[in-house]
């Protein structure tokens, strides 16, 4: 059960990293729309995270399906590695 809950935590970290990536890649050319741009990207990433959290619970049957649990933990680990460049909590935004 603890591994399953750690999986939820790690999924949230994956999407935090995705959000940092989104922020780092934003074009800040029009600062007047910056708030709207950030909200749109946040909502997109947050919704994807919610979907993955629900799919994780469904496919693992809340950790009861051991095979799926292992598959998911490996998938989450790969995603954490994929976004490892964005594990730092600081995001630097550049105005072009």
């Amino acid at each position: 059960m603890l591994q399953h809950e750690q999986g939820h935590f790690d999924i949230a970290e994956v999407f935090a990293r995705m959000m940092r990536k989104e922020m780092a890649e934003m074009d800040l050319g029009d600062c007047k729309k910056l708030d709207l741009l950030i909200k749109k990207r946040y909502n997109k990433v947050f919704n994807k995270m919610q979907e993955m959290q629900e799919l994780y619970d469904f496919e693992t049957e809340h950790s009861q399906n051991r095979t799926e649990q292992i598959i998911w933990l490996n998938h989450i680990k790969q995603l954490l590695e994929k976004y490892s460049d964005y594990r730092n909590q600081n995001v630097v935004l550049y105005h072009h």
Side-chain angles (χ1 to χ4, degrees), residues 44-77:
K44 180 180 82 170
V45 171
F46 182 81
N47 290 335
K48 286 182 179 180
M49 182 194 68
Q50 289 293 91
E51 290 172 12
M52 183 179 271
Q53 295 281 13
E54 291 172 13
L55 185 61
Y56 174 61
D57 272 339
F58 177 76
E59 289 186 355
T60 64
E61 299 171 32
H62 296 271
S63 82
Q64 299 306 304
N65 185 327
R66 299 265 189 220
T67 303
E68 283 298 318
Q69 184 67 48
I70 292 167
I71 291 168
W72 264 96
L73 292 176
N74 287 329
H75 176 63
I76 295 165
K77 181 180 177 184

